[in-house]
Amino acid sequence: MVIQKLKALSLSWAAWMVLTSPALATPAHPLDPLSWDEHWDVLTILADEGKLTDDTRFSRVTFAPPEKRRVWSWRKGQSLPRKAIAFMREGPTTIEATLDLKARRITDWVERTDVQPIWLEGEYGSDIVDKVKEDPRYAEALEKRGIEYPMFVDCSPGPRGFLGEAELADIRFGVVSCGYPVGARNSMARRIEGFTVIVDMHSKEILEFRDDEIVNIHDTIADYDLGSLGPLREFDAPIKVEQPKGHGFTLDGNMVKWDNWRFHVRPDHRLGIIVSTVTWNDEDRERPVMYEGHLSEMFVPYMAPQRAWRDKNFIDAGEYSTGGIADPLEPGLHCPETAVFMDEIVADDTGRPKDRRRAVCLFEAYSGDINWLHKHEGRPKRELIARTSARLGNYDYIIDFRFQTDGQIKVAAGSTGIVQAMATTEKNATEPSDSDTPADRYGRFVDDHIIGVNHSHYFSFRFDLDVDGPENSFEMTKLKQVILPEDNSRRSLWVTEPVIAKREENAKLRKNLNTPAVWRFINPDKKNAHGYSTSFQIAGGMTARTLLSEDDYPRRRAGFIDHDFWVTPYKADELYAAGLYPTESKPGKGLPEWTAENRPIENTDIVAWYTMGMHHVVRAEDWPVMPIVWHDVMLRPFDFFDENPAMTSGLKP
């Protein structure tokens, strides 16, 4: 039996030495991610319990945090339970295994056949592609398009947005996409358009093969690498950032201290970066601000009705985070040369740990901006940025948590990369279309025979704010017009009207310029020197109100976009706005399902969910690589202090 287990894991002698090593020492902080040894502990515990076979595959291995109250009360050197969760697959069965790493035992084992976990790395290179290429319809499709060298065609299956088809329900299926990269480095300009192949990833069957539109491969080149472009223009006077006395922050493991801020930061397989236990040191008093903040989910639906495009409605973080969502950060590109980097350990398909270098960076920034100013007195703006980058197919996303000296936290999402491109028979917008529908009906020409397809971006963030403690309420301070008496020379003004949300239904909100309001998490039991409840405001930037109909399946699967803002009572397992398993998910998962109970949210531990985004009408300037576009939401102290915390004189005693 032992030999079979070791064989299933395909362990090398070096790995065996790791497996027989003593138990791991207590981590430096209860929210530290799993170490290399702890990843191996997960595997050996499962092996000792007889839970691994040759078919076992791992979607994700992560640590299970201790209870929130115990984390807040934890002090350095104290020991807390150390648990891990392994998300596994055995054929069509999805398994969630919880393990006690100190006791070396499995504490919970759940098997499910009603969900689909994220795709494995190996599935993208599945041997189903060989079966597709052997199908005579494939050769016929290439011949119709005048492809001279079929041996150079690249194909790969990928997860597909479920549209509710009865024949595909409960099947792990993928759609095979192909490109013809001959003579081009940027294969996004060489998509083979018009045919659709849907496959069953378990049975390796071809479920659907359709060839609806014949578009020949054109010789358009859209390469963007420096080797193709040559030297880019530069300034004769470079800007150089130096910190001759070192960083202005200190890093103790994953704990960061900067200015009055204290927080824990860690890379995360699915979410990229998580910022936790955020406090402000107020005259040597650590005041809680936020227990946890992170990206929760992304949704990117494309706006083309063709058979090969209608399934392109991606729930990115939950569907495409296989192998870890974070892309390695490059010094001098993603982050300045002065940055400090954090590595990540992720599990591969077999569960074995592998290093992901430079998954998170920390750096200080000064851009010449102003923090506060009056006449000739003021303070320049300096901030600390915790950053990660996620490359999800064609797009690259930058996620920032920017801590500021005035007590604000700006959370920003930047979109860059390559827009999804559709090949067309028409060369540009001046050529008449062969059909009644203009070629650029669903996008805009960005190159010869290339259309950048219209789409939307939604970023859902989860903020577990604990303003001066976990018991908070959500207050909408509405701005209400008041008509003044006839004897007043002014005719109108506005006043504030605070409303406390009692239940979840009262806090499902959309930004509306016609009904302005200030959204705040308040602590009813804590007052500032002026008698107001201490609070933090959630001040959102651009939102993208959905234009999808209520009965459109992609919208129903990503129901969190129905509102810009939600408030829920804290639950440790409610982390992802579209649910734990969004791959091929049914409608209503995540926030719509949880809030259907309409739970009470007054003076209790509550969580804010904010969705920001944009509708992207593609410009010529977005090709071949899109300049970065930023969106942000501010977490602002609102009566949390007695005066401006960025004043150099400090707070009043």
Side-chain angles (χ1 to χ4, degrees), residues 68 462 464 502-505 521 566-574 591 594-595 597-602 604-609:
K68 176 179 173 178
R462 176 181 177 271
D464 181 6
K502 304 290 185 181
R503 291 184 173 272
E504 289 173 294
E505 195 65 32
F521 268 39
W566 310 64
V567 178
T568 62
Y570 171 81
K571 286 196 68 178
D573 60 350
E574 294 183 0
L591 280 168
W594 305 330
T595 58
E597 293 182 43
N598 200 21
R599 298 166 292 188
I601 56 173
E602 183 180 12
T604 189
D605 194 354
I606 54 178
V607 176
W609 307 74

PDB file of all heavy atoms in Angstrom, residues 68 462 464 502-505 521 566-574 591 594-595 597-602 604-609:
ATOM      1  N   LYS A  68     -12.131  34.273  13.266  1.00  0.00           N
ATOM      2  CA  LYS A  68     -11.798  35.691  13.160  1.00  0.00           C
ATOM      3  C   LYS A  68     -11.482  36.313  14.522  1.00  0.00           C
ATOM      4  O   LYS A  68     -10.496  37.042  14.669  1.00  0.00           O
ATOM      5  CB  LYS A  68     -12.963  36.415  12.493  1.00  0.00           C
ATOM      6  CG  LYS A  68     -12.820  37.915  12.389  1.00  0.00           C
ATOM      7  CD  LYS A  68     -14.022  38.516  11.680  1.00  0.00           C
ATOM      8  CE  LYS A  68     -13.990  40.017  11.701  1.00  0.00           C
ATOM      9  NZ  LYS A  68     -15.135  40.614  10.970  1.00  0.00           N
ATOM     10  N   ARG A 462     -14.461  42.587  -1.868  1.00  0.00           N
ATOM     11  CA  ARG A 462     -15.040  42.257  -0.560  1.00  0.00           C
ATOM     12  C   ARG A 462     -14.228  42.967   0.514  1.00  0.00           C
ATOM     13  O   ARG A 462     -13.015  42.777   0.610  1.00  0.00           O
ATOM     14  CB  ARG A 462     -15.011  40.742  -0.331  1.00  0.00           C
ATOM     15  CG  ARG A 462     -15.503  40.285   1.031  1.00  0.00           C
ATOM     16  CD  ARG A 462     -15.410  38.768   1.149  1.00  0.00           C
ATOM     17  NE  ARG A 462     -15.807  38.300   2.457  1.00  0.00           N
ATOM     18  CZ  ARG A 462     -14.991  38.157   3.498  1.00  0.00           C
ATOM     19  NH1 ARG A 462     -13.701  38.453   3.368  1.00  0.00           N
ATOM     20  NH2 ARG A 462     -15.436  37.717   4.653  1.00  0.00           N
ATOM     21  N   ASP A 464     -14.238  43.384   4.546  1.00  0.00           N
ATOM     22  CA  ASP A 464     -14.755  43.056   5.873  1.00  0.00           C
ATOM     23  C   ASP A 464     -14.270  44.132   6.837  1.00  0.00           C
ATOM     24  O   ASP A 464     -13.265  43.970   7.533  1.00  0.00           O
ATOM     25  CB  ASP A 464     -14.271  41.661   6.291  1.00  0.00           C
ATOM     26  CG  ASP A 464     -14.797  41.257   7.654  1.00  0.00           C
ATOM     27  OD1 ASP A 464     -15.626  41.995   8.217  1.00  0.00           O
ATOM     28  OD2 ASP A 464     -14.366  40.205   8.166  1.00  0.00           O
ATOM     29  N   LYS A 502     -31.483  47.969   8.117  1.00  0.00           N
ATOM     30  CA  LYS A 502     -31.809  46.939   9.105  1.00  0.00           C
ATOM     31  C   LYS A 502     -31.468  45.536   8.605  1.00  0.00           C
ATOM     32  O   LYS A 502     -30.997  44.697   9.366  1.00  0.00           O
ATOM     33  CB  LYS A 502     -33.293  46.999   9.453  1.00  0.00           C
ATOM     34  CG  LYS A 502     -33.778  48.353   9.958  1.00  0.00           C
ATOM     35  CD  LYS A 502     -33.233  48.664  11.321  1.00  0.00           C
ATOM     36  CE  LYS A 502     -33.839  49.962  11.866  1.00  0.00           C
ATOM     37  NZ  LYS A 502     -33.288  50.304  13.198  1.00  0.00           N
ATOM     38  N   ARG A 503     -31.725  45.304   7.316  1.00  0.00           N
ATOM     39  CA  ARG A 503     -31.528  43.974   6.740  1.00  0.00           C
ATOM     40  C   ARG A 503     -30.839  44.070   5.376  1.00  0.00           C
ATOM     41  O   ARG A 503     -30.726  45.162   4.795  1.00  0.00           O
ATOM     42  CB  ARG A 503     -32.869  43.241   6.615  1.00  0.00           C
ATOM     43  CG  ARG A 503     -33.471  42.861   7.978  1.00  0.00           C
ATOM     44  CD  ARG A 503     -34.742  42.064   7.852  1.00  0.00           C
ATOM     45  NE  ARG A 503     -35.184  41.589   9.152  1.00  0.00           N
ATOM     46  CZ  ARG A 503     -34.799  40.441   9.722  1.00  0.00           C
ATOM     47  NH1 ARG A 503     -33.956  39.641   9.061  1.00  0.00           N
ATOM     48  NH2 ARG A 503     -35.245  40.086  10.902  1.00  0.00           N
ATOM     49  N   GLU A 504     -30.420  42.922   4.868  1.00  0.00           N
ATOM     50  CA  GLU A 504     -29.650  42.881   3.627  1.00  0.00           C
ATOM     51  C   GLU A 504     -30.370  43.566   2.471  1.00  0.00           C
ATOM     52  O   GLU A 504     -29.751  44.233   1.643  1.00  0.00           O
ATOM     53  CB  GLU A 504     -29.323  41.436   3.260  1.00  0.00           C
ATOM     54  CG  GLU A 504     -28.302  40.790   4.174  1.00  0.00           C
ATOM     55  CD  GLU A 504     -28.140  39.308   3.890  1.00  0.00           C
ATOM     56  OE1 GLU A 504     -29.097  38.542   4.122  1.00  0.00           O
ATOM     57  OE2 GLU A 504     -27.045  38.918   3.439  1.00  0.00           O
ATOM     58  N   GLU A 505     -31.683  43.387   2.389  1.00  0.00           N
ATOM     59  CA  GLU A 505     -32.434  43.952   1.276  1.00  0.00           C
ATOM     60  C   GLU A 505     -32.333  45.474   1.257  1.00  0.00           C
ATOM     61  O   GLU A 505     -32.377  46.091   0.186  1.00  0.00           O
ATOM     62  CB  GLU A 505     -33.902  43.516   1.376  1.00  0.00           C
ATOM     63  CG  GLU A 505     -34.699  43.729   0.102  1.00  0.00           C
ATOM     64  CD  GLU A 505     -34.214  42.883  -1.067  1.00  0.00           C
ATOM     65  OE1 GLU A 505     -33.730  41.753  -0.839  1.00  0.00           O
ATOM     66  OE2 GLU A 505     -34.312  43.371  -2.220  1.00  0.00           O
ATOM     67  N   PHE A 521     -19.819  52.529   7.008  1.00  0.00           N
ATOM     68  CA  PHE A 521     -19.844  51.525   8.075  1.00  0.00           C
ATOM     69  C   PHE A 521     -19.548  52.276   9.370  1.00  0.00           C
ATOM     70  O   PHE A 521     -18.454  52.818   9.534  1.00  0.00           O
ATOM     71  CB  PHE A 521     -18.792  50.451   7.827  1.00  0.00           C
ATOM     72  CG  PHE A 521     -19.301  49.262   7.057  1.00  0.00           C
ATOM     73  CD1 PHE A 521     -20.182  49.432   6.001  1.00  0.00           C
ATOM     74  CD2 PHE A 521     -18.907  47.972   7.384  1.00  0.00           C
ATOM     75  CE1 PHE A 521     -20.656  48.338   5.278  1.00  0.00           C
ATOM     76  CE2 PHE A 521     -19.371  46.878   6.672  1.00  0.00           C
ATOM     77  CZ  PHE A 521     -20.253  47.061   5.621  1.00  0.00           C
ATOM     78  N   TRP A 566     -23.474  45.739  -1.873  1.00  0.00           N
ATOM     79  CA  TRP A 566     -24.218  44.800  -1.038  1.00  0.00           C
ATOM     80  C   TRP A 566     -23.621  44.849   0.370  1.00  0.00           C
ATOM     81  O   TRP A 566     -22.436  45.145   0.527  1.00  0.00           O
ATOM     82  CB  TRP A 566     -24.103  43.362  -1.537  1.00  0.00           C
ATOM     83  CG  TRP A 566     -24.376  43.093  -2.989  1.00  0.00           C
ATOM     84  CD1 TRP A 566     -23.676  43.560  -4.073  1.00  0.00           C
ATOM     85  CD2 TRP A 566     -25.412  42.266  -3.528  1.00  0.00           C
ATOM     86  NE1 TRP A 566     -24.203  43.079  -5.232  1.00  0.00           N
ATOM     87  CE2 TRP A 566     -25.272  42.267  -4.938  1.00  0.00           C
ATOM     88  CE3 TRP A 566     -26.430  41.498  -2.961  1.00  0.00           C
ATOM     89  CZ2 TRP A 566     -26.111  41.552  -5.772  1.00  0.00           C
ATOM     90  CZ3 TRP A 566     -27.275  40.774  -3.795  1.00  0.00           C
ATOM     91  CH2 TRP A 566     -27.125  40.810  -5.190  1.00  0.00           C
ATOM     92  N   VAL A 567     -24.412  44.529   1.359  1.00  0.00           N
ATOM     93  CA  VAL A 567     -23.924  44.345   2.723  1.00  0.00           C
ATOM     94  C   VAL A 567     -24.473  43.031   3.239  1.00  0.00           C
ATOM     95  O   VAL A 567     -25.681  42.763   3.133  1.00  0.00           O
ATOM     96  CB  VAL A 567     -24.345  45.500   3.657  1.00  0.00           C
ATOM     97  CG1 VAL A 567     -23.851  45.238   5.087  1.00  0.00           C
ATOM     98  CG2 VAL A 567     -23.795  46.832   3.155  1.00  0.00           C
ATOM     99  N   THR A 568     -23.596  42.200   3.782  1.00  0.00           N
ATOM    100  CA  THR A 568     -23.999  40.911   4.331  1.00  0.00           C
ATOM    101  C   THR A 568     -23.451  40.757   5.741  1.00  0.00           C
ATOM    102  O   THR A 568     -22.435  41.372   6.082  1.00  0.00           O
ATOM    103  CB  THR A 568     -23.456  39.748   3.471  1.00  0.00           C
ATOM    104  OG1 THR A 568     -22.015  39.779   3.485  1.00  0.00           O
ATOM    105  CG2 THR A 568     -23.940  39.838   2.036  1.00  0.00           C
ATOM    106  N   PRO A 569     -24.107  39.938   6.578  1.00  0.00           N
ATOM    107  CA  PRO A 569     -23.486  39.593   7.858  1.00  0.00           C
ATOM    108  C   PRO A 569     -22.273  38.711   7.613  1.00  0.00           C
ATOM    109  O   PRO A 569     -22.236  37.928   6.654  1.00  0.00           O
ATOM    110  CB  PRO A 569     -24.595  38.833   8.603  1.00  0.00           C
ATOM    111  CG  PRO A 569     -25.498  38.325   7.542  1.00  0.00           C
ATOM    112  CD  PRO A 569     -25.429  39.298   6.406  1.00  0.00           C
ATOM    113  N   TYR A 570     -21.280  38.846   8.460  1.00  0.00           N
ATOM    114  CA  TYR A 570     -20.044  38.091   8.270  1.00  0.00           C
ATOM    115  C   TYR A 570     -20.288  36.595   8.380  1.00  0.00           C
ATOM    116  O   TYR A 570     -20.907  36.111   9.335  1.00  0.00           O
ATOM    117  CB  TYR A 570     -19.006  38.503   9.311  1.00  0.00           C
ATOM    118  CG  TYR A 570     -17.778  37.614   9.312  1.00  0.00           C
ATOM    119  CD1 TYR A 570     -16.766  37.813   8.384  1.00  0.00           C
ATOM    120  CD2 TYR A 570     -17.648  36.563  10.231  1.00  0.00           C
ATOM    121  CE1 TYR A 570     -15.649  37.001   8.368  1.00  0.00           C
ATOM    122  CE2 TYR A 570     -16.531  35.743  10.222  1.00  0.00           C
ATOM    123  CZ  TYR A 570     -15.533  35.965   9.292  1.00  0.00           C
ATOM    124  OH  TYR A 570     -14.430  35.151   9.283  1.00  0.00           O
ATOM    125  N   LYS A 571     -19.810  35.856   7.402  1.00  0.00           N
ATOM    126  CA  LYS A 571     -19.722  34.398   7.459  1.00  0.00           C
ATOM    127  C   LYS A 571     -18.389  34.011   6.840  1.00  0.00           C
ATOM    128  O   LYS A 571     -18.047  34.473   5.738  1.00  0.00           O
ATOM    129  CB  LYS A 571     -20.871  33.725   6.714  1.00  0.00           C
ATOM    130  CG  LYS A 571     -22.216  33.800   7.435  1.00  0.00           C
ATOM    131  CD  LYS A 571     -23.221  32.800   6.863  1.00  0.00           C
ATOM    132  CE  LYS A 571     -22.800  31.364   7.184  1.00  0.00           C
ATOM    133  NZ  LYS A 571     -23.796  30.371   6.685  1.00  0.00           N
ATOM    134  N   ALA A 572     -17.654  33.158   7.531  1.00  0.00           N
ATOM    135  CA  ALA A 572     -16.284  32.845   7.112  1.00  0.00           C
ATOM    136  C   ALA A 572     -16.221  32.212   5.734  1.00  0.00           C
ATOM    137  O   ALA A 572     -15.205  32.336   5.038  1.00  0.00           O
ATOM    138  CB  ALA A 572     -15.630  31.931   8.149  1.00  0.00           C
ATOM    139  N   ASP A 573     -17.291  31.521   5.310  1.00  0.00           N
ATOM    140  CA  ASP A 573     -17.240  30.824   4.026  1.00  0.00           C
ATOM    141  C   ASP A 573     -17.895  31.608   2.893  1.00  0.00           C
ATOM    142  O   ASP A 573     -18.033  31.094   1.787  1.00  0.00           O
ATOM    143  CB  ASP A 573     -17.879  29.440   4.146  1.00  0.00           C
ATOM    144  CG  ASP A 573     -19.341  29.494   4.582  1.00  0.00           C
ATOM    145  OD1 ASP A 573     -19.801  30.584   4.976  1.00  0.00           O
ATOM    146  OD2 ASP A 573     -20.010  28.447   4.542  1.00  0.00           O
ATOM    147  N   GLU A 574     -18.308  32.848   3.130  1.00  0.00           N
ATOM    148  CA  GLU A 574     -18.868  33.688   2.071  1.00  0.00           C
ATOM    149  C   GLU A 574     -17.779  34.648   1.596  1.00  0.00           C
ATOM    150  O   GLU A 574     -17.625  35.752   2.105  1.00  0.00           O
ATOM    151  CB  GLU A 574     -20.105  34.434   2.571  1.00  0.00           C
ATOM    152  CG  GLU A 574     -21.268  33.506   2.888  1.00  0.00           C
ATOM    153  CD  GLU A 574     -22.533  34.237   3.326  1.00  0.00           C
ATOM    154  OE1 GLU A 574     -22.504  35.486   3.385  1.00  0.00           O
ATOM    155  OE2 GLU A 574     -23.535  33.574   3.616  1.00  0.00           O
ATOM    156  N   LEU A 591     -23.719  36.021  -3.937  1.00  0.00           N
ATOM    157  CA  LEU A 591     -24.461  37.066  -3.229  1.00  0.00           C
ATOM    158  C   LEU A 591     -25.978  36.950  -3.371  1.00  0.00           C
ATOM    159  O   LEU A 591     -26.699  37.108  -2.375  1.00  0.00           O
ATOM    160  CB  LEU A 591     -23.984  38.441  -3.696  1.00  0.00           C
ATOM    161  CG  LEU A 591     -22.675  38.924  -3.058  1.00  0.00           C
ATOM    162  CD1 LEU A 591     -22.137  40.148  -3.790  1.00  0.00           C
ATOM    163  CD2 LEU A 591     -22.870  39.244  -1.586  1.00  0.00           C
ATOM    164  N   TRP A 594     -27.060  34.105  -0.961  1.00  0.00           N
ATOM    165  CA  TRP A 594     -26.883  34.388   0.469  1.00  0.00           C
ATOM    166  C   TRP A 594     -27.878  35.425   0.959  1.00  0.00           C
ATOM    167  O   TRP A 594     -28.444  35.292   2.049  1.00  0.00           O
ATOM    168  CB  TRP A 594     -25.461  34.888   0.734  1.00  0.00           C
ATOM    169  CG  TRP A 594     -24.390  33.982   0.246  1.00  0.00           C
ATOM    170  CD1 TRP A 594     -24.436  32.613   0.134  1.00  0.00           C
ATOM    171  CD2 TRP A 594     -23.093  34.374  -0.234  1.00  0.00           C
ATOM    172  NE1 TRP A 594     -23.253  32.134  -0.378  1.00  0.00           N
ATOM    173  CE2 TRP A 594     -22.406  33.190  -0.616  1.00  0.00           C
ATOM    174  CE3 TRP A 594     -22.446  35.594  -0.369  1.00  0.00           C
ATOM    175  CZ2 TRP A 594     -21.103  33.207  -1.110  1.00  0.00           C
ATOM    176  CZ3 TRP A 594     -21.160  35.619  -0.870  1.00  0.00           C
ATOM    177  CH2 TRP A 594     -20.496  34.439  -1.239  1.00  0.00           C
ATOM    178  N   THR A 595     -28.083  36.474   0.179  1.00  0.00           N
ATOM    179  CA  THR A 595     -28.915  37.579   0.649  1.00  0.00           C
ATOM    180  C   THR A 595     -30.408  37.297   0.506  1.00  0.00           C
ATOM    181  O   THR A 595     -31.232  38.105   0.950  1.00  0.00           O
ATOM    182  CB  THR A 595     -28.575  38.876  -0.107  1.00  0.00           C
ATOM    183  OG1 THR A 595     -28.771  38.673  -1.514  1.00  0.00           O
ATOM    184  CG2 THR A 595     -27.130  39.290   0.146  1.00  0.00           C
ATOM    185  N   GLU A 597     -32.047  35.330   2.154  1.00  0.00           N
ATOM    186  CA  GLU A 597     -32.583  35.192   3.511  1.00  0.00           C
ATOM    187  C   GLU A 597     -32.931  36.540   4.128  1.00  0.00           C
ATOM    188  O   GLU A 597     -33.659  36.594   5.122  1.00  0.00           O
ATOM    189  CB  GLU A 597     -31.561  34.495   4.412  1.00  0.00           C
ATOM    190  CG  GLU A 597     -31.283  33.051   4.064  1.00  0.00           C
ATOM    191  CD  GLU A 597     -30.291  32.443   5.053  1.00  0.00           C
ATOM    192  OE1 GLU A 597     -30.431  32.684   6.272  1.00  0.00           O
ATOM    193  OE2 GLU A 597     -29.374  31.747   4.604  1.00  0.00           O
ATOM    194  N   ASN A 598     -32.385  37.619   3.547  1.00  0.00           N
ATOM    195  CA  ASN A 598     -32.625  38.959   4.077  1.00  0.00           C
ATOM    196  C   ASN A 598     -32.262  39.031   5.558  1.00  0.00           C
ATOM    197  O   ASN A 598     -33.047  39.457   6.414  1.00  0.00           O
ATOM    198  CB  ASN A 598     -34.081  39.381   3.865  1.00  0.00           C
ATOM    199  CG  ASN A 598     -34.263  40.886   3.954  1.00  0.00           C
ATOM    200  OD1 ASN A 598     -33.315  41.665   3.787  1.00  0.00           O
ATOM    201  ND2 ASN A 598     -35.487  41.318   4.245  1.00  0.00           N
ATOM    202  N   ARG A 599     -31.030  38.661   5.860  1.00  0.00           N
ATOM    203  CA  ARG A 599     -30.567  38.569   7.240  1.00  0.00           C
ATOM    204  C   ARG A 599     -30.390  39.954   7.867  1.00  0.00           C
ATOM    205  O   ARG A 599     -30.128  40.935   7.167  1.00  0.00           O
ATOM    206  CB  ARG A 599     -29.237  37.802   7.273  1.00  0.00           C
ATOM    207  CG  ARG A 599     -29.347  36.372   6.773  1.00  0.00           C
ATOM    208  CD  ARG A 599     -27.990  35.740   6.486  1.00  0.00           C
ATOM    209  NE  ARG A 599     -27.322  36.357   5.347  1.00  0.00           N
ATOM    210  CZ  ARG A 599     -26.197  35.893   4.801  1.00  0.00           C
ATOM    211  NH1 ARG A 599     -25.622  34.803   5.304  1.00  0.00           N
ATOM    212  NH2 ARG A 599     -25.650  36.504   3.775  1.00  0.00           N
ATOM    213  N   PRO A 600     -30.502  40.055   9.198  1.00  0.00           N
ATOM    214  CA  PRO A 600     -30.275  41.346   9.861  1.00  0.00           C
ATOM    215  C   PRO A 600     -28.814  41.763   9.761  1.00  0.00           C
ATOM    216  O   PRO A 600     -27.911  40.939   9.841  1.00  0.00           O
ATOM    217  CB  PRO A 600     -30.695  41.084  11.312  1.00  0.00           C
ATOM    218  CG  PRO A 600     -30.623  39.607  11.483  1.00  0.00           C
ATOM    219  CD  PRO A 600     -30.914  39.007  10.150  1.00  0.00           C
ATOM    220  N   ILE A 601     -28.582  43.089   9.596  1.00  0.00           N
ATOM    221  CA  ILE A 601     -27.213  43.602   9.450  1.00  0.00           C
ATOM    222  C   ILE A 601     -26.959  44.807  10.351  1.00  0.00           C
ATOM    223  O   ILE A 601     -25.969  45.520  10.160  1.00  0.00           O
ATOM    224  CB  ILE A 601     -26.913  43.980   7.979  1.00  0.00           C
ATOM    225  CG1 ILE A 601     -27.941  44.989   7.446  1.00  0.00           C
ATOM    226  CG2 ILE A 601     -26.873  42.736   7.096  1.00  0.00           C
ATOM    227  CD1 ILE A 601     -27.606  45.532   6.060  1.00  0.00           C
ATOM    228  N   GLU A 602     -27.807  45.034  11.340  1.00  0.00           N
ATOM    229  CA  GLU A 602     -27.638  46.201  12.196  1.00  0.00           C
ATOM    230  C   GLU A 602     -26.844  45.842  13.445  1.00  0.00           C
ATOM    231  O   GLU A 602     -27.129  44.846  14.119  1.00  0.00           O
ATOM    232  CB  GLU A 602     -28.991  46.776  12.600  1.00  0.00           C
ATOM    233  CG  GLU A 602     -28.884  48.040  13.436  1.00  0.00           C
ATOM    234  CD  GLU A 602     -30.229  48.613  13.834  1.00  0.00           C
ATOM    235  OE1 GLU A 602     -31.255  47.910  13.651  1.00  0.00           O
ATOM    236  OE2 GLU A 602     -30.263  49.756  14.324  1.00  0.00           O
ATOM    237  N   THR A 604     -23.914  44.572  14.083  1.00  0.00           N
ATOM    238  CA  THR A 604     -23.365  43.223  14.095  1.00  0.00           C
ATOM    239  C   THR A 604     -22.129  43.213  13.204  1.00  0.00           C
ATOM    240  O   THR A 604     -21.731  44.241  12.654  1.00  0.00           O
ATOM    241  CB  THR A 604     -24.422  42.204  13.622  1.00  0.00           C
ATOM    242  OG1 THR A 604     -23.941  40.877  13.835  1.00  0.00           O
ATOM    243  CG2 THR A 604     -24.759  42.389  12.146  1.00  0.00           C
ATOM    244  N   ASP A 605     -21.498  42.072  13.052  1.00  0.00           N
ATOM    245  CA  ASP A 605     -20.317  41.948  12.195  1.00  0.00           C
ATOM    246  C   ASP A 605     -20.786  41.861  10.750  1.00  0.00           C
ATOM    247  O   ASP A 605     -21.435  40.886  10.351  1.00  0.00           O
ATOM    248  CB  ASP A 605     -19.528  40.698  12.595  1.00  0.00           C
ATOM    249  CG  ASP A 605     -18.131  40.678  12.010  1.00  0.00           C
ATOM    250  OD1 ASP A 605     -17.809  41.573  11.200  1.00  0.00           O
ATOM    251  OD2 ASP A 605     -17.347  39.768  12.358  1.00  0.00           O
ATOM    252  N   ILE A 606     -20.477  42.876   9.941  1.00  0.00           N
ATOM    253  CA  ILE A 606     -20.983  42.950   8.573  1.00  0.00           C
ATOM    254  C   ILE A 606     -19.838  43.135   7.577  1.00  0.00           C
ATOM    255  O   ILE A 606     -18.730  43.528   7.941  1.00  0.00           O
ATOM    256  CB  ILE A 606     -22.018  44.081   8.400  1.00  0.00           C
ATOM    257  CG1 ILE A 606     -21.455  45.427   8.885  1.00  0.00           C
ATOM    258  CG2 ILE A 606     -23.313  43.727   9.124  1.00  0.00           C
ATOM    259  CD1 ILE A 606     -22.414  46.599   8.699  1.00  0.00           C
ATOM    260  N   VAL A 607     -20.146  42.852   6.310  1.00  0.00           N
ATOM    261  CA  VAL A 607     -19.162  42.879   5.222  1.00  0.00           C
ATOM    262  C   VAL A 607     -19.721  43.710   4.071  1.00  0.00           C
ATOM    263  O   VAL A 607     -20.906  43.602   3.730  1.00  0.00           O
ATOM    264  CB  VAL A 607     -18.842  41.453   4.734  1.00  0.00           C
ATOM    265  CG1 VAL A 607     -17.885  41.477   3.542  1.00  0.00           C
ATOM    266  CG2 VAL A 607     -18.271  40.610   5.868  1.00  0.00           C
ATOM    267  N   ALA A 608     -18.872  44.537   3.467  1.00  0.00           N
ATOM    268  CA  ALA A 608     -19.247  45.339   2.300  1.00  0.00           C
ATOM    269  C   ALA A 608     -18.727  44.675   1.032  1.00  0.00           C
ATOM    270  O   ALA A 608     -17.599  44.178   0.993  1.00  0.00           O
ATOM    271  CB  ALA A 608     -18.680  46.749   2.422  1.00  0.00           C
ATOM    272  N   TRP A 609     -19.555  44.697  -0.020  1.00  0.00           N
ATOM    273  CA  TRP A 609     -19.185  44.192  -1.343  1.00  0.00           C
ATOM    274  C   TRP A 609     -19.412  45.319  -2.342  1.00  0.00           C
ATOM    275  O   TRP A 609     -20.532  45.826  -2.466  1.00  0.00           O
ATOM    276  CB  TRP A 609     -20.037  42.994  -1.735  1.00  0.00           C
ATOM    277  CG  TRP A 609     -20.067  41.888  -0.731  1.00  0.00           C
ATOM    278  CD1 TRP A 609     -20.731  41.870   0.466  1.00  0.00           C
ATOM    279  CD2 TRP A 609     -19.417  40.620  -0.837  1.00  0.00           C
ATOM    280  NE1 TRP A 609     -20.542  40.678   1.111  1.00  0.00           N
ATOM    281  CE2 TRP A 609     -19.738  39.883   0.336  1.00  0.00           C
ATOM    282  CE3 TRP A 609     -18.609  40.028  -1.807  1.00  0.00           C
ATOM    283  CZ2 TRP A 609     -19.263  38.597   0.553  1.00  0.00           C
ATOM    284  CZ3 TRP A 609     -18.137  38.737  -1.595  1.00  0.00           C
ATOM    285  CH2 TRP A 609     -18.462  38.034  -0.424  1.00  0.00           C
TER     286      TRP A 609
END
